[in-house]
Amino acid sequence: MQSSAAPNAIRTKKYQLEKNTFTGIALAKVWRKDWWMALIPLVLFLLPAVFSFSWWWVAGAILVTLIFVLLRSAQVMGVTQMEQGNPLFEKLSYEIDSRQILLKRNEREGMALTWDMIGSVERKGQAYLLWLKPPTDAQLPGGWRGWLAKNFQAPVFVMMPFRIFNNPNDIKLLESMLRRKELIA
């Protein structure tokens, strides 16, 4: 853990994000943004059917599109199985101040998330979703691997339900902090 939180920091109760909740939200975000990518294999494999119609081309196009959708979904769901993703699904408490968000496993162990690591914040139902920024081009590998990594990223977020806050004033304080950081409208 880096430095400790300020004395006037917002402290929360412990919360554990369920893997199914993460998967559902992340898949919805991916398919809302990238739905059109599923049309690429469908159109490519239907093109031969335009010139020489056969149900085999149609069946092949549907099958390849279905495989693409399943592989992309499995990639997003894989975040829950990777060792690097384990901290997202542990029981953590948060200490939020103007410098950082401390994700604490216990009093001695945890990690700091600085505000510049957060790309945007979304209020979804009775929770805040803090979407982490994707890696920059300099952090990605070069060539086709970099292109794949950039275009097929799995979104990662931290979820803070309102029920983990100790009182409604903490929620208002967090919201004002998010507005000052220009992360939420």
Side-chain angles (χ1 to χ4, degrees), residues 36-150:
W36 60 272
M37 285 185 169
L39 296 177
I40 294 171
L42 183 67
V43 169
L44 285 177
F45 280 86
L46 281 179
L47 276 178
V50 171
F51 301 109
S52 172
F53 183 79
S54 170
W55 285 106
W56 289 109
W57 287 116
V58 175
I62 292 171
L63 182 65
V64 169
T65 303
L66 194 69
I67 290 171
F68 173 78
V69 168
L70 290 174
L71 285 175
R72 181 70 172 118
S73 298
Q75 176 199 17
V76 173
M77 292 167 52
V79 171
T80 63
Q81 304 302 316
M82 291 175 30
E83 186 177 333
Q84 295 91 336
N86 284 346
L88 289 173
F89 309 109
E90 292 179 4
K91 197 165 194 143
L92 303 170
S93 64
Y94 305 98
E95 287 188 15
I96 307 157
D97 64 21
S98 61
R99 296 172 298 149
Q100 65 193 356
I101 300 172
L102 289 175
L103 290 76
K104 297 175 69 173
R105 187 180 297 152
N106 56 41
E107 285 302 314
R108 293 182 313 277
E109 296 180 73
M111 66 180 252
L113 258 178
T114 58
W115 287 106
D116 62 342
M117 296 169 79
I118 298 171
S120 66
V121 177
E122 181 183 334
R123 185 176 177 164
K124 184 174 175 97
Q126 290 292 308
Y128 286 113
L129 302 178
L130 285 67
W131 296 94
L132 301 183
K133 285 183 182 175
T136 62
D137 289 339
Q139 295 170 321
L140 295 173
W144 66 273
R145 288 186 181 123
W147 180 84
L148 278 175
K150 184 177 181 180

